[in-house]
Amino acid sequence: MRYRARVLPAVIGVLILAACNSSGLPLAPTQTPSASSDLVPTIEATATSPAVSRLPSATIPPKSLPPTSAPGLQPTTKATLAPTGKATAEPTVQPGATSQAGITVQPVPGDLDQEVLLVEQQASKVRGLKPKTDVPETFLNSAQMHDNLVKDLTENYSPAEAKQDAVELWLLRLLNDPTTDLFQLQVDLLSEQVLGYYDPKKKDLFVLRNQKDLSLTSRQTLAHEFTHALQDEYFDLEKLLPDHSKDDDRSMAIRSLVEGDATMSGLTYARTYFTPEEIQQFILENSSAPSTVLDKAPAYIRESLYFPYSAGPTFVNRLLDQNGFKSVDKALADPPTSTEQIMHPDKYLNTPRDVPVPVSLTPLTDTLGAGWTMQDEGTLGEFDLQEMLKENNDPNAERDAAGWGGGGYAFYQNGDKSLMYIKTFWDTQKDADEFRAGLEATFKGAKKDGDYWVQGGRYFAMQDSARSVTLFSSTDRDTVDRAGK
C-alpha cells in the first residue's frame, strides 16, 4: 500500500522550508559566526500552510571561499541538457575548484561542467564524504522532468494498484472517497512538486532547469541530490530501501533519515556558499512555487509527502548535535526502524532502543469463507495512526498515538466486498486505553448498529486485549461479524 517513489526526489516547498525552524539552518561543520557579531546567524522560515509561507528574514555569514582541493572528486564530463547536450549558460562558478589531479579549474563561459563540478565539490565538503565515482548529471526542463517521472511511476505502479490503495486508505479512514484516482494524483504531484531526483537503480541524477543559467534553486537541488549519490556509494540505498517492502513504517523511517540527511546537507550548502542576497533570492524563487495540486490533495497523501522532509531533518538535527555528519553516517549504517523513532529521536538514541514489536495477524481466509483472498499486508506506525486520528477529528491525536509499540494490517477482498484488518500493540496498558478512547471518539458522529459503527458505507468493529487494540473495517456487516469471531 501507499506507493513510495523508487527514486529519491527533491520536493519543492517542503525541501526548502520544512527544515527551517526557530534555530535556523545549520552552520556548515567548518563555519563559525563572524567575530564581529554576538549573534549566531540564522535563516528563519515559517509556513502557515503548505501553500502560504512567510518570507523569512535572513542573516548569514559572508560567502565562504570555495575549497582549494577535494581529494577523490573528479571533474564531470557528463552534465547534459536533455536533449540538446552542452549548455550555453553564463556560469556563476567561482575560481578555485580543483580536480583530483590537482589541476585548478577556472570558470569558462558556457561550461556547465565547471559549475556542476564546483557545486558537487562543495556539497561533498559539507557532507564529509568523498565521491568514489562520477555520477551522470542531466538537467531537464519541466516537461522533460514530468515525462521522466511519469515513466518511472508507470513502470512501478499500475492504475489497478492505485485503485486498490484507494480502497485500503478509505477503509483505514485516511481517504474520504474510495474512487479517488491515486495514480493521476501521483502524476499531478510529481509534475508540480519535484525539483530533481536521484535514481539508485540507474545511478543517475536529474535536476530541473528551466532557464539558461544554473539557478540558485538548481544549484541547491544538485547539492541535495548529489548527497543521495554519496549515500548510495557508501551505504547502498537499494539495500536500505528495497522495492516492494512489506514493512511500510520502517521504509518511511529510513526514507526520512535519507531525505533528512540530503535536506540538511543541501540547506547547509546554501547557507555556506550563497551570499545573503542569494539566500533571499533563493527563498523568493521557491516561496512563490505553485502548490495547487498539493493543497487539494487528501490530508494523508499530503502529510505522507511532507513527513520525510519535515520530520526527517528534525531527526537528523539531533544526530548532528551529537557528532556532526559522522553521527548521520552511523545512523545510515544502523537505521531507524519506525516512524516513532523519527518522531521521538530519543527512542532511537537511547539504550536500549525502543524497537517495534512484531504484530502477528491471524489469517482470516478460512474464517471469512469461500472467495476471500488476502490481497495486501504491511505495517502501520505511529505516523499512520496519528494521521488516522487527526483526519477523523480526535483533538488529542498526538497523545493518543504516542506509546505505539507495533502495528500491522491485512487487506482482504471477495469480488466487490473488502475487509481491512488492523491490529496494534502498545507500550503500556495506559497507552492502549488512550488509543482506544481516541479511536472511539472519532466515531462520535457515526451511526451505531449494535456493537458496530456505520459510516460512509463502511462497517467498523473494535476489540481489545492486554495492550492491544484491533479494528475491523469492511463494506459488509456480515464480513465484520465473521472476522471478529
PDB file of all heavy atoms in Angstrom, residues 251 314 330 399:
ATOM      1  N   SER A 251      10.153   1.523   6.129  1.00  0.00           N
ATOM      2  CA  SER A 251      10.570   2.204   4.902  1.00  0.00           C
ATOM      3  C   SER A 251      10.405   3.718   5.030  1.00  0.00           C
ATOM      4  O   SER A 251      11.268   4.481   4.590  1.00  0.00           O
ATOM      5  CB  SER A 251       9.763   1.690   3.705  1.00  0.00           C
ATOM      6  OG  SER A 251      10.058   0.332   3.442  1.00  0.00           O
ATOM      7  N   THR A 314      14.444  17.177  11.256  1.00  0.00           N
ATOM      8  CA  THR A 314      14.441  17.343  12.712  1.00  0.00           C
ATOM      9  C   THR A 314      15.199  16.197  13.379  1.00  0.00           C
ATOM     10  O   THR A 314      16.008  16.404  14.293  1.00  0.00           O
ATOM     11  CB  THR A 314      12.997  17.392  13.242  1.00  0.00           C
ATOM     12  OG1 THR A 314      12.313  18.490  12.635  1.00  0.00           O
ATOM     13  CG2 THR A 314      12.975  17.565  14.753  1.00  0.00           C
ATOM     14  N   LYS A 330      26.670   7.005  10.955  1.00  0.00           N
ATOM     15  CA  LYS A 330      26.424   5.882  11.863  1.00  0.00           C
ATOM     16  C   LYS A 330      24.967   5.442  11.788  1.00  0.00           C
ATOM     17  O   LYS A 330      24.665   4.243  11.804  1.00  0.00           O
ATOM     18  CB  LYS A 330      26.794   6.295  13.291  1.00  0.00           C
ATOM     19  CG  LYS A 330      26.720   5.184  14.308  1.00  0.00           C
ATOM     20  CD  LYS A 330      27.185   5.656  15.679  1.00  0.00           C
ATOM     21  CE  LYS A 330      27.076   4.544  16.711  1.00  0.00           C
ATOM     22  NZ  LYS A 330      27.504   5.012  18.070  1.00  0.00           N
ATOM     23  N   ARG A 399      -1.238  12.664  21.424  1.00  0.00           N
ATOM     24  CA  ARG A 399      -1.138  11.906  22.676  1.00  0.00           C
ATOM     25  C   ARG A 399      -1.645  10.480  22.485  1.00  0.00           C
ATOM     26  O   ARG A 399      -1.032   9.521  22.967  1.00  0.00           O
ATOM     27  CB  ARG A 399      -1.954  12.596  23.762  1.00  0.00           C
ATOM     28  CG  ARG A 399      -1.886  11.921  25.141  1.00  0.00           C
ATOM     29  CD  ARG A 399      -3.074  12.280  26.013  1.00  0.00           C
ATOM     30  NE  ARG A 399      -4.323  11.719  25.474  1.00  0.00           N
ATOM     31  CZ  ARG A 399      -5.517  11.980  25.974  1.00  0.00           C
ATOM     32  NH1 ARG A 399      -5.645  12.830  26.987  1.00  0.00           N
ATOM     33  NH2 ARG A 399      -6.604  11.421  25.448  1.00  0.00           N
TER      34      ARG A 399
END
